[in-house]
Structures are given as structure tokens and as C-alpha cells.
Amino acid sequence: MGEQLEPGYSLSGDDDGRWPMVIASPHSGRAYPASLMAATRLSLGQMRRAEDAFVDQLLEGISGVPVMTARWSRLFLDLNRHQDELDPEMLDRLPARPLLRTDRLAAGLGLLPRIAGHGLPLYRAPLSLAEAEARIAAIHRPWHHRLEALLAAARARHGYAILIDCHSMPRPAGPLPPQIVLGDRHGSSAAPALVALIEQHFIGHGWRVARNNPYAGGHTTERHGRPLEGLHCVQIEIDRSLYMDPVKLLPGPGFVSVARQLQGLVRLLLAHAPRLPLAPGWREAAE
């Protein structure tokens, strides 16, 4: 990777484990490196359609609890993918290690996306394997290593740790689609009592909530959600139309309300999580 990149994320809040929670926004990055702009066939406006736009700004009112937000666009590297979720069609040659084959990869949405929004091809020519590996080393590994360190510090202090992975989604199809989708990989990345508490928070504020459909969680929930070890990860997808104009890519009249509900969720979890069965052995305690 020829250009020198700034760090791939920003971190606010206390990072010493004093809070049992960490919040992440891996898809809200809106910086586009010069190398991507030179290699793509798309305009900046076309690429920005892939962002979880303004999710990082929705989280700005949260104080104390550590909040990690991505700097670079997910089109440059998708932090919610495994580092081996590489698309053979994207590269000039393949690495020696085995690659993962997933439905996301087949759709062109791997670690280094092949397409942007609306199925538009992103690159003019294949990327070099050296470029792919450089992006992984500079952006992907530091992000997940820092998440692991934050969660380890929280668990060491509290006996458990909660990761809330925040995303936004296009309005799902149907007459009354969900406005919030909670992903816990069908019960494998977080204790049920925690997911139920989050679900009731949003339902209590009048929003329609679904679990795991159509989003059950990605690499983040799979990698960091190990509830039997006291590590709980829940992905939250928010309907973009609740807080922004998806066409103009501008914050909408609901922005302040959504931000306040996320702040309220943090306060709720901090107040009630200590009474939930979340530490290692929670399953036996809950039975």
C-alpha cells in the first residue's frame, strides 16, 4: 500500500475497563483514501451509498463508555468481515492460506468489496495481493485487536463484557417492516436475557423490532461474542429513515430522537446488566 494511512479508527471514552460495555460502529467511516479514488470507476456520491451514514454521530452523546468508530469507508475494507473473506475475482493472485467462501463473498461483499451500492462494480482492475494484505495489516487487525483488549479489560473488572455493534440498514420491504433488527447469531453470541432487555427497550419506545432477520450478525458478533466466556455481542441495525434522508444523505428530523434512544439504552444496560446472568457459567445460573 503506497500511501500512508491515518489510524483506521477513533476511540472515545474510558479504555481501562471501568465500564462493562464497549460500543462499535464499523461501517460509518466516510474517509476515502486516494488509492481507492484512483482505482474506482464510481463517483464519491455513488460510493457513499454504502455507508452506515451518521451512525458515529448518533453515538457522540455517549460519554464514559468506550466508543470505537471506523475512519475509512467500508468499501476500502469491511471491518465486519473475516480477514480471509477475500474475493478471488478481486485479486491478481491468491494467498497461500485457505480463503473463506461465504454468501456475502458470493454477492461481492467480502472483506474488500467488489461492488458498491445497487450492485455497481467498484474497481477498474484487480487489486494486488500485496495491497490486500497491507490493508488487512493496517486496518483490520488493529481494529479487532483493540476491541479484544477493551473487552478483556471490561471482563477482568466486571466478570463479563458487552459489545454493542451499531449499524444502519435500508428500510426493509413489507407493509410494517422492522425498524430495529437485533443480531445475536441466533442465540450464539449473547445471553438471551441481554438480548431481551435490548429488545424491550426499543419496543417500549414504539419501534418494531425483529431478531436475526434479515441480519443475524457478521464477523464481529462471531469473533467477539463468546457468551459462555462472559463476552456478549449484539448487533443493532437501525432503519436509516428513522434518523436521516437516505436519498440526500443528510440527517433528518428524527436524528436527535434516535441518538437519545441509544443513550437511553446505554444507561439501561449499565443499570441492569449487573443483575443479569452474564458472567461465565451464566447458563447454569439461569436454569
Side-chain angles (χ1 to χ4, degrees):
M1 190 158 52
E3 63 190 319
Q4 293 295 315
L5 294 174
E6 298 177 34
Y9 63 86
S10 61
L11 174 64
S12 63
D14 304 308
D15 63 355
D16 57 2
R18 72 183 66 185
W19 306 99
M21 290 180 60
V22 179
I23 300 171
S25 174
H27 285 166
S28 57
R30 50 185 173 275
Y32 291 80
S35 60
L36 176 60
M37 299 304 296
T40 187
R41 63 183 71 207
L42 303 181
S43 68
L44 179 60
Q46 289 173 313
M47 290 192 290
R48 287 207 62 207
R49 301 291 173 184
E51 295 173 13
D52 283 357
F54 309 116
V55 170
D56 55 340
Q57 295 180 26
L58 289 172
L59 302 173
E60 286 180 353
I62 296 170
S63 60
V65 171
V67 178
M68 281 185 65
T69 57
R71 182 185 306 276
W72 303 109
S73 166
R74 66 184 295 187
L75 294 183
F76 190 62
L77 181 138
D78 193 327
L79 292 163
N80 202 27
R81 301 290 183 264
H82 193 283
Q83 69 174 18
D84 292 332
E85 223 168 327
L86 286 167
D87 192 333
E89 295 184 34
M90 290 275 299
L91 302 175
D92 62 350
R93 61 188 178 89
L94 298 181
R97 66 183 184 276
L99 298 181
L100 293 179
R101 306 293 190 219
T102 66
D103 291 340
R104 295 182 300 246
L105 190 69
L109 301 173
L111 177 74
L112 306 177
R114 176 165 37 92
I115 64 170
H118 307 292
L120 297 172
L122 184 57
Y123 290 97
R124 295 190 180 95
L127 295 173
S128 70
L129 176 60
E131 167 73 12
E133 299 287 21
R135 292 188 197 181
I136 293 169
I139 302 172
H140 191 274
R141 290 189 189 124
W143 170 273
H144 287 285
H145 289 168
R146 192 60 186 276
L147 274 182
E148 286 168 347
L150 291 168
L151 293 168
R155 182 178 59 178
R157 195 152 173 177
H158 302 275
Y160 64 92
I162 299 168
L163 173 59
I164 302 297
D165 197 43
C166 294
H167 298 257
S168 70
M169 62 182 179
R171 181 182 175 87
L176 286 173
Q179 296 163 303
I180 302 289
V181 177
L182 304 180
D184 65 353
R185 299 192 64 82
H186 303 282
S188 67
S189 71
L194 175 64
V195 183
L197 183 62
I198 297 172
E199 181 179 51
Q200 288 306 309
H201 170 77
F202 289 119
I203 290 175
H205 288 89
W207 288 341
R208 298 183 298 275
V209 181
R211 292 196 195 185
N212 297 305
N213 185 19
Y215 305 103
H219 175 62
T220 299
T221 48
E222 183 176 19
R223 175 169 177 167
H224 300 288
R226 301 192 298 278
L228 295 182
E229 300 175 30
L231 298 171
H232 306 265
C233 182
V234 180
Q235 177 178 287
I236 298 179
E237 295 274 0
I238 305 167
D239 180 351
R240 293 171 188 163
S241 65
L242 290 174
Y243 70 89
M244 66 174 284
D245 183 326
V247 176
K248 297 180 179 179
L249 291 180
L250 294 171
F255 184 92
V256 172
S257 175
V258 173
R260 285 175 177 166
Q261 296 313 321
L262 291 173
Q263 295 164 25
L265 175 64
V266 170
R267 291 193 297 270
L268 177 74
L269 293 179
L270 291 176
H272 290 273
R275 298 194 290 272
L276 296 178
L278 300 179
W282 62 268
R283 178 169 288 172
E284 290 78 9
E287 291 176 349

